[in-house]
Amino acid sequence: MAEKKWMPRWFYQLASPRWCYDITGKLLPLFAWTAVLLLLGGTAWALAFAPADYQQGNSFRIIYIHVPSAILAQSCYMLMAIAGAVGLIWKMKVADMVAKCCAPIGASIAVLALATGAIWGKPTWGAWWVWDARLTSMLILLFLYFGVMALNSAIENKTTAAQSTAVLSLVGLVNIPIIKYSVEWWNTLHQPATFTLTEKPAMPVEMWMPLLIMVLGFYCFFAVAMMLRLRNEIVSRERRSGWVRDMIQTQFR
Amino acid sequence: MSEGRAGEMFFWGVLKRDLLLSFRRKSDLVNPLIFFLMVASLFPLGVSPEPTFLAEVAPGVIWVAALLATLLSLDGLFRSDFEDGTLEQTLLSPQPLFLVVLAKVFAHWMMTGLALTLLSPLLAVMLFLPAEGMWGLMASLLLGTPTLSLIGAIGAALTVGLRKGGVLISLLVLPLYIPVLIFGTGAAQAAITGLPIAGFLALLGAILVLGLVLAPFAIAAALRISASS
C-alpha cells in the first residue's frame, strides 16, 4: 500500500550528518553569492538612492542595518528553540548541531542590533541607551543567548548538553512575544514595527524596497554563517567516522 | 484509595520531608535571609543614607535583594537529592514527577520566598519606605516570589549534574527573572504614589499561573536529562 508521504525525502535525509554535509556544500556558494549580491545592492540603494526621511534626515538610514539585524536576532532564537525541540523529541544529531550553531551567531547579531540601535538613538532621542521596553527585552534576548552558550559549554557530554540547552531555549521562548509586542503593550519611545505581514508599510516604496532586500540579504548571510558553522561542527563530531577520514585523506593528500 | 487522593498524599509527603530536612540544616534556612538583610543594608552605606532617596529606591532594592537571596538558595534545591541518589529513585518511581517537583518547589518557596516576604516590612522600615507602599510591596512579593522559585528550579534542575552550578544558575535564570522584577517593583512604586496596583498584581498573578502550569514540565524534563548523564 502506498502510504501518503507527508514529508519530502530530502527533509528527513537532512538528519544524516553526511548527507547534510554534502547538501550544505552544494548550497553554500549559491547562498553566499545571493547574500553578497543582495547586501551590496541593498546597501548601495539604501545609502545612495533611497530618499531621506522628512523628520530624521539621513540619520534614519541606519534602519537598513538595524531592522534586519533585529528581525534576524529573533528568528535565530526561534530556529534555535525549534531545532532544540526537534533534537529533544526525535533525537536527531543534526538538529542538535543546528541549535548549537545558532547561539553564537544569534548573540553577535543581537549585539549588532543593540549597537546600531544605540547609534541611531543618539541623534534621534539624544541618548545612547534608554530603559525602554523594546530595548530591555532585546537585551534580555542577548542574555538568554549568553546563558544558552554558557550551559552548552559547561556540560561535557554532547547529548546531555544539547538536551539541556534545548530545554533552556524553549523556556526562553517566552521572551520572543514580549519583544514583538513590547512597543504595542507599553507606550514607549521606540517606534512601532516597520514591517508587518498584513499591512502595507507606511513608508514609500523607494524606502521599504531596499529594506526588504537587506532583510533577505541578512537571512542569506545567516544561512551562510550557519552552514559554515554546521559543517565545522559535523566534521568535528564525526571525525571518527569513515566518510570524514576518507574525505580528509582525499582532500589533503 | 483513589488516584487523586494518593497523589495528594504523595505531594504532602514530599513537602513535609523537604521542610523537615531544611529545618534540620538550619544554615540553609537562615543564610538566604541574612544575605537578604545584608544586601539591602549595603545600599544606604554604599549609595546614600538620605531618607528621601532611600524611600524612592526602597522597592527596587528590596526586590533585587529578594531576587539575589532566592538565587543563592537555588543551588541546593536538587543537589542533596542528586548526590545521595534520592533523585534517581524518584525518577524511577511510578509517581508523576511533576507532583514531586511541585512539592519541592513549594517547600523551597516556603523557606525562601515566604520568609523573605515576612521579613520585608523590617527592611522597608529600615529603608524609610512610606507606610502606604508596605502592602503593595508585600503583596507583590507574595505573588512574585513563587514564580522566582519555579523559574529558578528550572535552572537548578539543568545544572544539578554539574560540579560548579552556582554561577551558571544565575546566568541562566536572571534574564527570566526580569519581567517579575519589573512588575513587582512597579506594584510597590504604584502603591507608594497612591495609584491602583491591581493591574500589576494581576500581571504577576498571570505570570505565576503560567509558571505553575508550564514550569513543572520543564523542571521534570531537565531533571531527567541531568540525571541520565
Side-chain angles (χ1 to χ4, degrees):
Chain A
M1 197 184 90
E3 218 171 313
K4 194 169 177 287
K5 264 196 201 159
W6 59 281
M7 211 184 249
R9 185 158 176 233
W10 61 266
F11 187 76
Y12 54 81
Q13 271 184 327
L14 282 178
S16 139
R18 181 179 187 177
W19 212 80
C20 189
Y21 189 86
D22 287 346
I23 190 98
T24 48
K26 281 179 200 135
L27 287 176
L28 201 52
L30 182 72
F31 274 94
W33 281 112
T34 322
V36 168
L37 282 178
L38 285 174
L39 287 176
L40 280 181
T43 313
W45 190 353
L47 294 188
F49 301 107
D53 188 74
Y54 76 103
Q55 272 182 328
Q56 301 179 15
N58 277 325
S59 74
F60 99 98
R61 287 185 200 275
I62 201 165
I63 200 178
Y64 295 112
I65 309 284
H66 178 66
V67 168
S69 52
I71 295 177
L72 187 57
Q74 293 172 58
S75 310
C76 182
Y77 194 90
M78 306 254 273
L79 176 65
M80 182 167 79
I82 294 169
V86 169
L88 207 57
I89 297 165
W90 289 290
K91 313 257 183 273
M92 271 166 58
K93 265 193 284 181
V94 174
D96 287 351
M97 294 185 211
V98 168
K100 191 189 169 188
C101 297
C102 275
I105 306 176
S108 38
I109 302 277
V111 168
L112 182 67
L114 286 169
T116 49
I119 295 167
W120 194 10
K122 186 65 185 164
T124 5
W125 300 339
W128 293 107
W129 180 262
V130 189
W131 288 100
D132 146 296
R134 179 52 81 76
L135 274 65
T136 314
S137 48
M138 201 65 198
L139 189 65
I140 300 176
L141 182 72
L142 179 63
F143 290 158
L144 286 173
Y145 276 127
F146 286 156
V148 165
M149 280 154 73
L151 184 66
N152 204 315
S153 61
I155 305 175
E156 295 204 353
N157 183 324
K158 298 248 163 155
T159 331
T160 321
Q163 288 175 336
S164 301
T165 5
V167 171
L168 183 66
S169 42
L170 283 171
V171 171
L173 210 54
V174 291
N175 190 39
I176 294 290
I178 297 182
I179 303 181
K180 176 84 182 65
Y181 293 106
S182 56
V183 281
E184 288 163 36
W185 290 344
W186 294 281
N187 240 335
T188 49
L189 216 49
H190 198 283
Q191 62 200 38
T194 317
F195 273 135
T196 48
L197 279 178
T198 47
E199 280 168 52
K200 222 172 140 289
M203 30 182 191
V205 185
E206 309 88 74
M207 270 165 106
W208 66 258
M209 206 51 177
L211 183 55
L212 187 65
I213 293 176
M214 288 300 276
V215 171
L216 294 176
F218 263 70
Y219 272 102
C220 286
F221 163 76
F222 170 74
V224 172
M226 182 78 221
M227 285 195 272
L228 285 174
R229 271 189 179 273
L230 185 62
R231 285 161 68 79
N232 193 18
E233 188 73 24
I234 290 176
V235 171
S236 93
R237 279 206 209 178
E238 302 284 305
R239 63 181 177 276
R240 285 181 221 289
S241 68
W243 67 272
V244 174
R245 285 192 182 169
D246 291 347
M247 183 185 71
I248 287 172
Q249 265 168 9
T250 49
Q251 273 187 8
F252 303 99
R253 198 165 7 197
Chain B
M1 200 187 290
S2 72
E3 192 108 324
R5 179 103 183 92
E8 203 179 301
M9 280 185 60
F10 184 57
F11 178 87
W12 293 116
V14 175
L15 181 67
K16 210 173 137 191
R17 167 184 172 273
D18 266 37
L19 288 176
L20 196 64
L21 275 175
S22 56
F23 274 107
R24 295 270 159 81
R25 274 192 317 252
K26 293 252 174 2
S27 69
D28 280 14
L29 193 68
V30 183
N31 282 355
L33 295 178
I34 299 177
F35 180 80
F36 181 54
L37 275 173
M38 281 172 78
V39 168
S41 55
L42 288 179
F43 279 84
L45 300 173
V47 189
S48 154
E50 199 69 42
T52 48
F53 168 78
L54 283 177
E56 208 170 302
V57 296
V61 168
I62 294 173
W63 255 99
V64 170
L67 213 133
L68 294 177
T70 312
L71 265 185
L72 187 74
S73 62
L74 279 174
D75 195 39
L77 185 52
F78 299 111
R79 190 162 300 275
S80 64
D81 275 8
F82 178 73
E83 277 165 1
D84 65 14
T86 317
L87 189 64
E88 264 180 10
Q89 295 304 319
T90 320
L91 291 178
L92 290 173
S93 81
Q95 308 291 352
L97 187 54
F98 77 91
L99 265 184
V100 189
V101 162
L102 215 51
K104 287 187 81 71
V105 172
F106 193 54
H108 176 260
W109 173 72
M110 286 173 81
M111 285 165 323
T112 56
L114 190 60
L116 293 176
T117 311
L118 296 176
L119 201 63
S120 63
L122 176 64
L123 282 181
V125 172
M126 279 167 70
L127 295 174
F128 306 103
L129 184 87
E132 308 87 63
M134 200 73 88
W135 288 113
L137 180 71
M138 282 190 76
S140 67
L141 279 172
L142 202 60
L143 272 175
T145 44
T147 318
L148 299 186
S149 291
L150 280 166
I151 299 174
I154 303 176
L158 284 172
T159 53
V160 73
L162 303 173
R163 215 161 296 139
K164 283 181 184 166
V167 188
L168 195 58
I169 289 187
S170 25
L171 205 60
L172 305 184
V173 162
L174 273 179
L176 300 168
Y177 274 180
I178 293 174
V180 184
L181 175 74
I182 291 173
F183 296 125
T185 48
Q189 299 277 15
I192 294 173
T193 46
L195 292 168
I197 62 168
F200 288 106
L201 295 184
L203 274 169
L204 281 175
I207 298 176
L208 174 59
V209 170
L210 192 73
L212 270 176
V213 173
L214 295 179
F217 293 101
I219 301 167
L223 280 179
R224 283 190 203 284
I225 293 165
S226 292
S228 69
S229 62

